[in-house]
Amino acid sequence: MRRGAAAALALVLAVACSQGTGGSSVPVPASPPPVPTTVATSSSTAVSSSATVTTAVAPTGPCGESGPAPARYDHVVWIWMENHSASAVLGPRAATPFEKDLAARCGSGTNYHAVGSPSLPNYLGATSGSSQGVHDDASPSSHRVDADNLFRQVRAAQESARSYEEAMTQNCQPRPAGRYAVKHNPQAYYVGAEDLAACQRDDVPLGSLTAGRLVDDLDRGQLPAFSFITPDLCDDTHDCGVDLGDAWLSQWVGRLLDSAVYRAGRTALFVVWDEPTPMPVLVVSPTTPSGTTSPAPFDHYSLLRTTEELLGLPYLGQAATATSMRPAFGL
């Protein structure tokens, strides 16, 4: 990183390392110093009638690097949170110091929309371009989805795609248990082509901050082209408060952004919420101008389209007509 990114994350990482594995009992880290709030119109413009604005702050990392964005990215990472509106996460009274600081240092949107209800249709929509006619949260035994999907697309391009699921006890676990919710693990629902075999191989338990597949992949420089990360039912704020989700994100996002993979400059990270509309979205990349905000009406199909563009893939389903997030966030 760019030195700025490492410096900006030093406080977060110190807290993370001292708190262990990132379970729900960790306290919320102290808020960093406030960021200046002078606003100026960004040189990039969202593909909508709403202007994108950029807070005029010095680039302190992990975003705000000068220079053009890569035409193609090596890695795209999604982290999915649950069931909170934009105001509940980024509003002035929200107990989310890390998320608000990350938004100030990178990019955020406050008008991001679901594409179905309840959870599962949104997870399927974001990864296949359609909710596949699903209107419930039933297990894969009830919904065997034989449709093209982002995981399959990435494999077809001779790249790797992997899901990292917190609280899952076996690869591609098809039933919920404890704090693991299979409805938040879309890869477990796809059964066409080589999808099931790929799930058994690449849909893996997250592990801890000190041991596990994601940490190993980061340390070895082997992060897949596409990573889908799901916290458990407490850490994703489905069953617990936003303060606990904020503490979890401070540790795991800090770990990702301090890796050599991110420092190489060709990785983009999206933190999204499944519902209710409108939700926030956090966009992190080296070339995203610090403090960028967009009120444009993006949705889960926008996330899919943007990811396909970053990885050089064709559009699936409704991603073809969705609004790309690249211009708004300097990707």
Side-chain angles (χ1 to χ4, degrees), residues 7-20:
L9 289 165
L11 175 61
V12 168
L13 293 173
V15 172
C17 292
S18 67
Q19 291 172 343

Side-chain angles (χ1 to χ4, degrees), residues 1 10 38 56 61 66 69 75 89 92 101 131-132 143 156 178 181 234 261 264 271-272 282 290 297 312 320 330:
M1 206 191 293
T38 302
S66 60
H75 312 280
V89 176
D101 184 65
S131 59
Q132 305 299 333
H143 298 302
C234 185
V261 171
V271 182
V272 299
L282 300 177
S290 297

Side-chain angles (χ1 to χ4, degrees), residues 42-101:
S42 171
S43 58
S44 61
T45 303
V47 186
S48 82
S49 58
S50 300
T52 296
V53 296
T54 301
T55 304
V57 297
T60 55
C63 302
E65 297 287 339
S66 60
R72 293 266 301 264
Y73 282 67
D74 294 336
H75 312 280
V76 176
V77 181
W78 295 0
I79 299 178
W80 279 65
M81 307 297 283
E82 283 280 318
N83 292 15
H84 287 288
S85 66
S87 61
V89 176
L90 299 179
R93 296 185 179 181
T96 55
F98 176 77
E99 286 153 285
K100 287 190 283 190
D101 184 65

Side-chain angles (χ1 to χ4, degrees), residues 11-305:
L11 175 61
V12 168
L13 293 173
V15 172
C17 292
S18 67
Q19 291 172 343
T21 61
S24 60
S25 62
V26 295
V28 177
S31 178
V35 179
T37 56
T38 302
V39 176
T41 302
S42 171
S43 58
S44 61
T45 303
V47 186
S48 82
S49 58
S50 300
T52 296
V53 296
T54 301
T55 304
V57 297
T60 55
C63 302
E65 297 287 339
S66 60
R72 293 266 301 264
Y73 282 67
D74 294 336
H75 312 280
V76 176
V77 181
W78 295 0
I79 299 178
W80 279 65
M81 307 297 283
E82 283 280 318
N83 292 15
H84 287 288
S85 66
S87 61
V89 176
L90 299 179
R93 296 185 179 181
T96 55
F98 176 77
E99 286 153 285
K100 287 190 283 190
D101 184 65
L102 189 64
R105 296 179 185 276
C106 295
S108 64
T110 56
N111 194 16
Y112 187 95
H113 292 253
V115 297
S117 184
S119 289
L120 181 58
N122 291 294
Y123 284 79
L124 294 176
T127 52
S128 72
S130 167
S131 59
Q132 305 299 333
V134 173
H135 302 287
D136 58 48
D137 284 335
S139 296
S141 59
S142 298
H143 298 302
R144 295 173 58 83
V145 180
D146 185 0
D148 201 359
N149 57 83
L150 184 55
F151 303 100
R152 190 191 300 178
Q153 278 190 304
V154 174
R155 296 195 308 272
Q158 304 302 309
E159 299 288 352
S160 57
R162 188 165 297 125
S163 297
Y164 302 91
E165 301 289 321
E166 188 173 38
M168 190 169 70
T169 58
Q170 65 185 64
N171 285 16
C172 199
Q173 188 169 326
R175 291 174 294 278
R179 283 162 52 168
Y180 164 68
V182 69
K183 63 186 178 181
H184 300 160
N185 180 10
Q187 192 171 6
Y189 288 81
Y190 295 117
V191 298
E194 299 297 320
D195 289 337
L196 188 56
C199 184
Q200 293 289 344
R201 180 184 66 245
D202 296 324
D203 189 275
V204 301
L206 173 66
S208 72
L209 284 161
T210 56
R213 187 61 182 271
L214 178 55
V215 168
D216 287 347
D217 287 346
L218 287 171
D219 289 346
R220 296 170 182 169
Q222 296 178 349
L223 192 70
F226 175 61
S227 299
F228 190 104
I229 301 175
T230 311
D232 67 31
L233 282 169
C234 185
D235 291 328
D236 69 4
T237 72
H238 185 284
D239 294 347
C240 299
V242 294
D243 57 334
L244 295 177
D246 191 71
W248 189 94
L249 284 169
S250 75
Q251 295 180 325
W252 281 102
V253 171
R255 186 70 173 80
L256 283 161
L257 300 185
D258 198 49
S259 68
V261 171
Y262 186 81
R263 292 198 303 269
R266 301 178 64 86
T267 297
L269 165 67
F270 299 87
V271 182
V272 299
W273 281 252
D274 72 327
E275 56 178 342
T277 295
M279 306 88 75
V281 59
L282 300 177
V283 181
V284 182
S285 80
T287 57
T288 297
S290 297
T292 297
T293 63
S294 176
F298 299 119
D299 60 18
H300 294 321
Y301 297 136
S302 300
L303 176 67
L304 176 58
R305 180 190 181 104

